[in-house]
Amino acid sequence: MKIAIPENFVIGAASSAWQTEGWKGKKEGQDSFIDSWYKNEKFVWHEGYGPAVATNFYENYTQDIALMKEIHLTHYRTSINWSRFFTDYEELNVDEEYAKHIDDMINEQIQAGVEPMICLEHYEVPKYLMDKYDGWSSKKVLELYVKYAKIAFERYGDRVKHWFTFNEPIVVQTRCYLDALRWPHEQNTKKWMLWNYHKALATARAVEVYHQLDLPGRIGCILNPEMVYPRSSSAEDQKAAEIYDLFFNKVFFDPMITGVYSKELIALCQKHDIYFDPTEKELATIKANTVDFLGINQYYPKRVRAPRYQWNEETPFHPERYYESFDLPGKQMNNSRGWEIYPEIMYDISMYLKTNYPPIPWLITENGMGREQEERYKNKDGIVQDDYRIEYISKHLYQLLRGIEDGSTCEGYMLWAFTDCVSPMNAFKNRYGLVRIELDEKRTRSLKKSAYWYRSLVDERLLSLSNVEEFK
Ligand code: BG6
C-alpha cells in the first residue's frame, strides 16, 4: 500500500558550510571555532579527517548541484560560513571572493530548480570573536552577528526565501561548557545558559532586522528538541522528564514561539545561580520578534528517570541534578552512531508542538542515518545498496505524515545529508548522504540506491508502506 504525500510538502536535503566546503580559498585569520577545535584536538577526529578538505564543496558545488538536479531535489539547506564571510569581523569588511561563491552557489541552485535555504551559523562563529570576546558570552558578538545577518539579507534576500538564524543553537555550549566533552573542556553552567539566552536574543534581533527590510521570505531558527520519555508513570519519573524538557527544549521554544520564558525555567535558573539577567528592553525585543517558522532536527529519543543518587553538592550545577538518563532494554539502535532508532519521535514532536504552542509552520530540517563502512554495501557497479537508509527514512516520514493527518503544521522533511560529509569528531566515519563521497583527492561522488529512491519519492509523492512494514 502507498500513502500520498501532501502536495506542497517539501522533500529536501541539507548540510552546512563547514561540513562540506573545505579550506580552499580561505584566508589567514578566517578560522571558525570548529576549525580551532580541529587544529587543537585533531586526535579526537576520526582518522584525522575534518573541515580542512571536507567534501571540497567550495570547488565541487556545481557538480553537487547537478546531482541535486539529477535526483529532482527541490530544496537544499546549507549555511554561510560566518568566519569566511569577512576579512575583518569588527569593521565588517566582506570577503568578496567568498561572498561571490555564496552568490554563485545560490544562483546555480535556483537555475537547477533547487530552492536555497540558508542558515547564518552552523557552529561557524569566528575564532577571532571567541578569542577577543569569549564568543556568545558577549553582547558585542551579538551586535556584530546582527550586522552580519543584515548584510547577508541585503545581499541574498532577493533570492533566498527561507532563512535560519542558527542551526541547533544549544549544541556547542552543551558539549563544550555544560558537559565539557569537547575542546576547550571548560565547565561553566552559567556560561551555558548565557549562550542559550544570547542566541535566543540574537534570533529576535535578526528577525526584527529581516522584517524591517521587507524582503519576500521568512525567517526562523533550526532547533534540535529531544522528545523526552519518562521511564515510567511514576510522578518522580514524569517530573524528571518535565525538567529535562524545560532546560533543553522549552529554553528555545518558549522565547522563539511565544516570546516569553517560562516562569519555571527562570525560577530554576535563579535557584541555581545560572540566571542570565535580561534587561526589560531585551525581553521586549524577544516578545515582539518571534520567528516566522521553525526547523526541527530529529534523530533519537531521550529517555529519563528520576535520579537514584543524591547530587554531589560540591560539583557545579548541571540539570542532571533532576534526571538520570534511562537505557530502555530492547531498544533499536543505529550502532554506528550509538543513537536509538525510534521513528515515533516524528509523530510525538508533531503532537508536542500542536499541544504546547500556538500553530506555527515548521519542517523537519534534519533526520537521517549515519552508517559506518558503507563501502561494504556496494554492488558490482559500485552503487551503495543502502536499503537500511530507505527503510529508516520511510518509517520516520510515515510517522511525520501521521502527525499531519492529526493536525500538525509540518511543511516538509529534509534529509541529513545530501552528500556524505564531515561530522564533528566522527568526520567521515558515519556516512549520511544520498551521494557517496570517496576520500580520494577529488572527493569523487556517486549516487547511492537511496538517491534514486528519493527521486521517485519526489516524483511520485507516494510513500510505500512496504518499506515501513519491512522495518518493523
Ligand atoms: C545534527 C547537526 O545535530 O546532526 C549536524 O546539525 C550533524 O551538523 C548531524 O552532522 C549528525 O550528527 P553527527 O554527529 O553524526 O554528525
Side-chain angles (χ1 to χ4, degrees):
M1 201 174 99
K2 296 189 174 198
I3 53 171
I5 298 174
E7 207 179 324
N8 295 320
F9 187 83
V10 169
I11 305 170
S15 197
S16 75
W18 79 267
Q19 292 175 276
T20 54
E21 265 174 0
W23 291 348
K24 281 262 167 68
K26 189 173 116 173
K27 302 184 178 60
E28 187 76 25
Q30 284 187 323
D31 277 354
S32 66
F33 180 52
I34 206 126
D35 294 339
S36 42
W37 174 26
Y38 176 62
K39 287 182 177 175
N40 277 284
E41 226 178 42
K42 199 167 172 182
F43 69 92
V44 305
W45 289 71
H46 187 70
E47 293 177 351
Y49 288 103
V53 181
T55 69
N56 194 13
F57 180 77
Y58 190 75
E59 291 187 321
N60 288 330
Y61 72 95
T62 51
Q63 203 187 330
D64 280 356
I65 294 169
L67 290 173
M68 289 174 202
K69 190 172 178 187
E70 189 176 337
I71 69 157
H72 304 169
L73 198 76
T74 56
H75 293 73
Y76 177 68
R77 186 253 303 187
T78 188
S79 56
I80 296 175
N81 192 329
W82 181 8
S83 66
R84 291 191 64 172
F85 196 65
F86 296 104
T87 51
D88 186 310
Y89 305 104
E90 303 206 57
E91 295 300 317
L92 300 170
N93 299 329
V94 172
D95 180 336
E96 292 299 340
E97 202 185 329
Y98 182 78
K100 180 175 182 304
H101 160 75
I102 299 293
D103 243 323
D104 294 345
M105 176 191 78
I106 289 169
N107 293 340
E108 187 83 15
Q109 271 186 237
I110 292 171
Q111 256 189 1
V114 183
E115 184 158 348
M117 296 171 130
I118 295 288
C119 180
L120 291 166
E121 203 243 50
H122 195 123
Y123 322 150
E124 294 123 342
V125 60
K127 174 186 184 298
Y128 171 89
L129 298 179
M130 288 298 298
D131 293 348
K132 185 153 181 201
Y133 300 109
D134 201 24
W136 284 102
S137 307
S138 147
K139 300 250 192 284
K140 173 77 180 177
V141 168
L142 200 155
E143 292 308 322
L144 292 171
Y145 167 87
V146 175
K147 287 183 180 156
Y148 152 52
K150 183 160 188 258
I151 295 171
F153 300 149
E154 284 168 345
R155 286 193 177 226
Y156 311 117
D158 57 334
R159 285 152 293 154
V160 176
K161 311 281 168 55
H162 299 274
W163 288 91
F164 298 106
T165 54
F166 295 93
N167 177 78
E168 303 192 352
I170 201 169
V171 162
V172 171
Q173 60 271 27
T174 301
R175 307 281 180 273
C176 297
Y177 304 125
L178 181 65
D179 294 331
L181 295 168
R182 290 185 186 168
W183 183 86
H185 308 283
E186 175 193 340
Q187 207 299 320
N188 189 335
T189 310
K190 189 160 184 154
K191 180 161 158 177
W192 171 69
M193 190 49 83
L194 189 64
W195 277 45
N196 289 338
Y197 172 61
H198 280 162
K199 290 185 186 179
L201 179 58
T203 292
R205 293 282 310 280
V207 167
E208 184 176 32
V209 167
Y210 184 75
H211 287 161
Q212 279 163 357
L213 291 172
D214 204 19
L215 288 160
R218 55 187 185 166
I219 183 163
C221 183
I222 296 169
L223 300 177
N224 56 315
E226 290 169 313
M227 281 302 90
V228 49
Y229 300 90
R231 177 190 64 143
S232 77
S233 57
S234 83
E236 294 77 9
D237 287 343
Q238 303 279 327
K239 183 81 189 157
E242 273 166 35
I243 295 191
Y244 188 91
D245 189 41
L246 270 180
F247 273 114
F248 295 98
N249 299 333
K250 294 198 164 132
V251 64
F252 283 108
F253 275 142
D254 287 346
M256 289 188 185
I257 304 178
T258 68
V260 183
Y261 279 96
S262 79
K263 288 193 183 70
E264 292 90 335
L265 180 66
I266 289 179
L268 281 166
C269 289
Q270 284 168 334
K271 179 172 172 196
H272 295 291
D273 193 24
I274 59 164
Y275 193 44
F276 38 86
D277 298 315
T279 64
E280 286 303 317
K281 189 169 170 233
E282 288 167 357
L283 290 180
T285 299
I286 289 174
K287 177 85 187 139
N289 298 285
T290 52
V291 294
D292 299 333
F293 76 130
L294 277 175
I296 303 282
N297 296 350
Q298 276 298 285
Y299 289 91
Y300 53 84
K302 176 76 191 176
R303 300 190 187 275
V304 299
R305 61 184 297 171
R308 284 168 296 174
Y309 308 105
Q310 199 172 359
W311 184 254
N312 178 354
E313 298 293 346
E314 283 168 20
T315 62
F317 170 70
H318 187 297
E320 259 183 342
R321 184 187 180 107
Y322 294 102
Y323 68 86
E324 187 181 306
S325 294
F326 171 63
D327 202 7
L328 179 71
K331 66 187 179 187
Q332 286 189 40
M333 287 293 293
N334 169 7
N335 287 315
S336 300
R337 185 60 182 83
W339 283 345
E340 182 181 341
I341 300 176
Y342 186 64
E344 285 83 346
I345 52 175
M346 298 303 228
Y347 181 78
D348 293 342
I349 180 71
S350 306
M351 293 306 109
Y352 174 97
L353 286 170
K354 185 180 165 204
T355 312
N356 291 307
Y357 293 101
I360 178 161
W362 62 277
L363 71 164
I364 289 292
T365 31
E366 281 185 37
N367 169 251
M369 187 184 209
R371 192 72 179 240
E372 270 178 283
Q373 295 170 344
E374 274 203 315
E375 53 284 357
R376 282 181 290 176
Y377 305 107
K378 279 186 182 175
N379 68 7
K380 62 176 182 5
D381 300 319
I383 299 174
V384 175
Q385 302 296 297
D386 51 348
D387 295 272
Y388 42 86
R389 179 164 293 109
I390 295 170
E391 290 168 359
Y392 179 98
I393 299 170
S394 300
K395 230 179 164 187
H396 284 79
L397 191 52
Y398 170 66
Q399 293 291 341
L400 198 61
L401 296 174
R402 269 188 65 217
I404 296 173
E405 279 283 310
D406 287 350
S408 102
T409 46
C410 176
E411 295 182 346
Y413 175 93
M414 302 191 62
L415 181 73
W416 186 268
F418 179 63
T419 66
D420 293 341
C421 61
V422 171
S423 287
M425 278 196 313
N426 283 328
F428 284 110
K429 174 175 163 286
N430 304 317
R431 304 307 189 91
Y432 281 93
L434 297 170
V435 179
R436 165 121 186 131
I437 301 273
E438 303 301 337
L439 297 181
D440 54 13
E441 211 178 315
K442 282 170 61 190
R443 294 291 193 262
T444 305
R445 274 99 164 125
S446 60
L447 296 179
K448 299 179 192 174
K449 182 176 176 183
S450 58
Y452 298 103
W453 173 79
Y454 216 59
R455 178 168 66 192
S456 64
L457 197 68
V458 173
D459 289 350
E460 295 168 18
R461 307 191 72 77
L462 288 172
L463 176 68
S464 166
L465 286 187
S466 67
N467 286 323
V468 174
E469 293 304 320
E470 247 170 53
F471 201 41
K472 273 185 178 162

